[in-house]
Amino acid sequence: MHKIILLLLISFSPLFLGAQGLFLGERQERLGNYKTYTLLESEENRFQVLRFNKQFDKAETEIYDGQLKLKGRYISSDRKRKYGGAMHIQDKNYLLYSYYKDNKSLQRYEDVSLYAKEILPDSFQLASDSIALIPPFDMKERLYRGNFVFSPDGSKLLLYDYEEEGDIEDIRGLTNSIRLRVLDTSLKLLWERKLDLSLHQSGKRVVAIQKLKISNQGIIAILCDRFREKRSYQLKKVTADPLVYFLGPNAGEFTHFSPKLGEFFYNEMDILFDEEGNIYWTGLYSQKKYYKQGGYFFIKINAARNQVLSKYKQSFSDSLKAQLLHRKLGRIKEKTELRNYKTISFRQLADGRLILLAEERPYGIHNFKSYNTFLLCFSEAGELLWEQTILKHNSFPKSKATFLRPYLWEKAGKLYLLFNRGLYGRESGAYLAQIDTQGELKEKQLLSYEFKDELLCPELSYPLEDGRLFLGLQSLYFRYYQFGFLEPQTFMEASESTSK
C-alpha cells in the first residue's frame, strides 16, 4: 500500500528525486483542446511554454517558475489562424501562420502566404503587425509544403517552399522547382531565388526533395532524389539517383554532387554543415529494395564544394544485424538486410565526431515489436568508430508516435538517448541510455508506468544552458500533462536502488 501511495504522489504533486537528478513538477489538467507544446524561452527561474490545440488554430502561453509551478496562463492567439509553428530568435518569440483563399471554382489556392507575429514579452499577446515571410502567390497544384532551418551558428535562417504533385504513393516532395529565401536574425530578407531542379526543362516532375540545410557562410544544400523513368520507390529496380545541389547568393555559385558509389537503392539520407562550411552526407542503402537497409555510406565535401575529401560505403556488421533482427549470429548471411529503418538524427558532436541515429518504423497502422534503434559513430574523415543498438520492442499504433520516438543529445562528452520501452503495465517505463566516447552503453530506468498515467514524450525534450534537460509528460489521451527536469550524469551515477 505504501508503494502505491508513493507512486500516486508522483502523479499529483511536485516530485524531487534527490540524487537521482530527476524533478517532476505539478500535474496539470488540460483546458480546452490544447495538446502539443514547445519550450520557447528558459531562464534560471522562469520557463515559457507555448501550447497548441489539435487543429493548430489556437495557441496559449504558460509561465512556470524554477520549481515548475504554474504562475500564469495566457491566450496568445488573438483570433483563429492556421498556425504552422513558433521560433525563438534574437531574444524574441514568434508565432508563424499561413493564409490562403480556396477558389473552389478554379480548384486552386490563391493568395497563399506565410507571416510571423511576435509574442509580446509582457502580455504574451500577439503584436498587431505581421512580418511577411512569403509574399502572396497563387498555387498551381493542390499540395504545398514549406519549412525553415537555421545555420549551425544561428546567424542565418533559410525559408523554403514548393508546390508538390502529391498524387504518387509514398513519394513526398515531388517537384521541379523550389523557392529559397535567406533571412538574418531580425527576419530581414538577405536574398531569394527560385530554382529549377530539373535537367531537361520538361513538365514532368522528377525531383523528390529530401532535406535542406544552410551553412554559416550562407551556402544552401538541397538533398534530393532525381527519378529516371518510373517515379516509384516500390519497384525491384533502382529508379532514382541521389543528388546534393549547392548554391549561394551569387548566380555563379551553383553545383551538384552525386555519390558515385555504385548502383544501389539509396535511402534515408541526411546532410549537415560544420562550422567551417564542410559538408557531410550520409545515408543507408540496399541491394534489394528502397525500404530495406544493408549498410551505410559517408561522404565529406570541402567547404569550397570542389573536392570530395572522403568517401565510404560499407555493409552493416553481422553482429548489428543479428541483434536488430533477433537472430543467432550464424544465421546472418552476407545479403541479410534490415527493413523499415528511418534516419532520425545526423549530428556533429563537440569533438568533431558524427552520429547517425536510425529507428525501425514499419509501414501500416499498427507496428509490432518495432522502434528498435541503432547508432553509428564516425570520425570526421568518415571512419566507423563504433556501433550500438538499443532494443525497445514497442508494439503500438502510429497514433502513439509522440511517446515512442527517442531524443538524442550530448553533454560533457557523453551521448544520452531518452526513450520509452512499452507504455502499459509493470514492465513498461521511460529509460535513459548513456554512451561514452568508446561506444560503451549504460542503460537505466527513469520512470515506471505501472501506476503512472503521464508518459514521457522524449522528442518534446529541450536541453537547457545549465546542462539539464527539460522534460514533458502527457497522459495517453492528453487529458493531463506535466513538466520536469533531468540531470543525466547525476541520474546515471545514482545507485540502482534509487533509480526505479
Side-chain angles (χ1 to χ4, degrees):
M1 183 65 183
H2 176 71
K3 181 179 180 181
I4 295 177
I5 292 175
L6 178 62
L7 289 169
L8 287 175
L9 285 173
I10 292 177
S11 295
F12 289 92
S13 304
L15 173 68
F16 181 59
L17 299 182
Q20 290 180 313
L22 175 64
F23 177 89
L24 297 181
E26 296 175 334
R27 185 174 80 159
Q28 306 293 332
E29 184 171 4
R30 184 185 72 186
L31 301 177
N33 195 25
Y34 293 94
K35 294 180 66 174
T36 190
Y37 74 92
T38 181
L39 178 66
L40 266 185
E41 193 173 343
S42 62
E43 301 173 2
E44 183 179 358
N45 294 307
R46 180 182 176 277
F47 298 88
Q48 183 174 336
V49 175
L50 186 68
R51 294 174 58 80
F52 294 96
N53 66 344
K54 182 178 181 180
Q55 294 77 24
F56 277 85
D57 58 12
K58 292 182 179 179
E60 70 174 10
T61 297
E62 292 180 342
I63 302 297
Y64 292 84
D65 65 12
Q67 298 298 307
L68 292 180
K69 292 182 179 179
L70 180 64
K71 308 304 292 185
R73 182 180 283 127
Y74 310 88
I75 301 298
S76 294
S77 51
D78 50 2
R79 61 187 178 90
K80 276 193 174 184
R81 292 187 176 94
K82 191 62 177 177
Y83 295 104
M87 62 182 177
H88 177 82
I89 181 171
Q90 209 175 40
D91 296 326
K92 292 184 178 181
N93 298 311
Y94 296 93
L95 261 180
L96 307 181
Y97 70 94
S98 58
Y99 174 82
Y100 61 86
K101 296 177 182 177
D102 188 358
N103 190 325
K104 297 188 182 325
S105 61
L106 296 178
Q107 294 187 338
R108 72 177 189 183
Y109 296 114
E110 299 176 344
D111 293 338
V112 179
S113 49
L114 179 69
Y115 300 91
K117 270 185 174 289
E118 183 185 356
I119 303 175
L120 299 176
D122 297 324
S123 65
F124 307 107
Q125 300 294 309
L126 296 183
S128 56
D129 297 332
S130 297
I131 301 174
L133 300 178
I134 298 179
F137 70 96
D138 295 339
M139 286 179 55
K140 298 178 181 179
E141 303 291 341
R142 296 289 292 180
L143 191 58
Y144 170 76
R145 297 190 189 278
N147 209 334
F148 63 89
V149 62
F150 285 96
S151 59
D153 63 2
S155 65
K156 295 176 179 62
L157 171 67
L158 168 63
L159 186 68
Y160 62 90
D161 65 305
Y162 56 88
E163 296 180 51
E164 181 181 341
E165 192 159 320
D167 57 355
I168 299 179
E169 185 179 3
D170 295 329
I171 299 181
R172 290 172 57 92
L174 188 60
T175 186
N176 275 352
S177 62
I178 185 169
R179 286 179 289 264
L180 307 165
R181 294 173 176 85
V182 178
L183 298 86
D184 62 15
T185 53
S186 63
L187 299 184
K188 178 183 177 182
L189 181 66
L190 299 178
W191 61 275
E192 62 180 320
R193 186 181 301 180
K194 183 176 181 180
L195 185 65
D196 193 328
L197 300 174
S198 64
L199 294 182
H200 307 295
Q201 305 294 319
S202 65
K204 183 179 179 181
R205 302 193 175 198
V206 296
V207 174
I209 303 293
Q210 305 290 332
K211 295 285 180 66
L212 284 91
K213 298 291 175 65
I214 184 170
S215 70
N216 295 338
Q217 296 75 24
I219 301 300
I220 297 173
I222 305 172
L223 173 61
C224 60
D225 275 339
R226 188 172 66 212
F227 288 100
R228 300 173 181 177
E229 297 178 2
K230 297 289 186 178
R231 296 178 296 175
S232 173
Y233 290 126
Q234 305 298 319
L235 303 180
K236 295 182 180 180
K237 66 176 183 178
V238 175
T239 58
D241 298 305
L243 293 170
V244 176
Y245 290 94
F246 297 104
L247 72 153
N250 302 317
E253 296 178 303
F254 181 81
T255 187
H256 71 273
F257 280 81
S258 59
K260 296 181 180 178
L261 290 169
E263 187 83 348
F264 295 96
F265 296 83
Y266 297 102
N267 59 82
E268 296 306 313
M269 299 177 292
D270 206 345
I271 51 175
L272 64 81
F273 286 100
D274 64 14
E275 294 289 339
E276 289 74 35
N278 298 306
I279 301 99
Y280 299 91
W281 180 8
T282 190
L284 310 179
Y285 74 90
S286 167
Q287 298 185 59
K288 301 176 181 180
K289 292 186 177 181
Y290 278 106
Y291 64 84
K292 292 189 174 185
Q293 295 80 35
Y296 63 88
F297 71 88
F298 182 101
I299 300 173
K300 181 179 181 180
I301 304 169
N302 68 340
R305 305 172 304 285
N306 56 16
Q307 184 180 1
V308 175
L309 301 178
S310 59
K311 183 163 62 172
Y312 290 90
K313 181 181 69 68
Q314 181 64 48
S315 59
F316 294 133
S317 68
D318 289 350
S319 60
L320 180 79
K321 291 187 284 187
Q323 292 177 58
L324 295 173
L325 293 172
H326 320 295
R327 298 180 188 175
K328 293 181 179 179
L329 191 59
R331 294 184 58 205
I332 298 299
K333 309 299 181 183
E334 182 179 352
K335 293 185 178 181
T336 301
E337 295 190 343
L338 309 176
R339 59 190 296 165
N340 297 325
Y341 274 81
K342 308 292 182 184
T343 297
I344 306 304
S345 175
F346 180 48
R347 59 186 299 168
Q348 189 167 34
L349 306 181
D351 62 4
R353 292 175 300 148
L354 297 108
I355 296 292
L356 170 66
L357 169 66
E359 184 178 56
E360 184 184 15
R361 294 182 182 176
Y363 297 101
I365 298 174
H366 200 97
N367 300 329
F368 295 94
K369 293 185 178 180
S370 58
Y371 292 91
N372 296 323
T373 62
F374 69 82
L375 299 96
L376 304 177
C377 179
F378 303 101
S379 70
E380 289 184 84
E383 298 172 300
L384 182 65
L385 301 178
W386 52 258
E387 61 186 25
Q388 193 57 261
T389 62
I390 297 176
L391 305 181
K392 295 185 283 184
H393 308 301
N394 284 323
S395 300
F396 298 99
K398 286 189 174 181
S399 59
K400 301 295 187 292
T402 300
F403 306 104
L404 300 177
R405 295 169 179 166
Y407 180 74
L408 177 73
W409 81 105
E410 178 192 14
K411 183 192 174 187
K414 291 185 174 65
L415 278 175
Y416 294 92
L417 190 73
L418 195 62
F419 63 94
N420 285 319
R421 181 177 283 132
L423 303 179
Y424 310 101
R426 180 177 300 177
E427 302 300 324
S428 65
Y431 287 79
L432 179 65
Q434 180 192 75
I435 307 176
D436 65 17
T437 55
Q438 303 303 312
E440 294 296 321
L441 182 144
K442 294 181 180 179
E443 188 181 295
K444 196 171 178 182
Q445 187 172 16
L446 185 68
L447 291 168
S448 170
Y449 294 151
E450 183 177 2
F451 300 104
K452 185 169 177 58
D453 292 331
E454 291 76 45
L455 311 178
L456 185 71
C457 303
E459 67 175 354
L460 296 179
S461 303
Y462 297 86
L464 304 176
E465 291 186 359
D466 60 9
R468 294 178 298 169
L469 191 70
F470 186 89
L471 304 177
L473 298 86
Q474 301 191 73
S475 57
L476 275 173
Y477 299 100
F478 303 99
R479 180 179 179 183
Y480 300 102
Y481 61 98
Q482 191 175 20
F483 298 115
F485 301 126
L486 172 65
E487 208 300 313
Q489 184 67 34
T490 302
F491 175 79
M492 294 302 296
E493 291 176 352
S495 63
E496 289 296 325
S497 61
T498 63
S499 67
K500 302 299 182 184

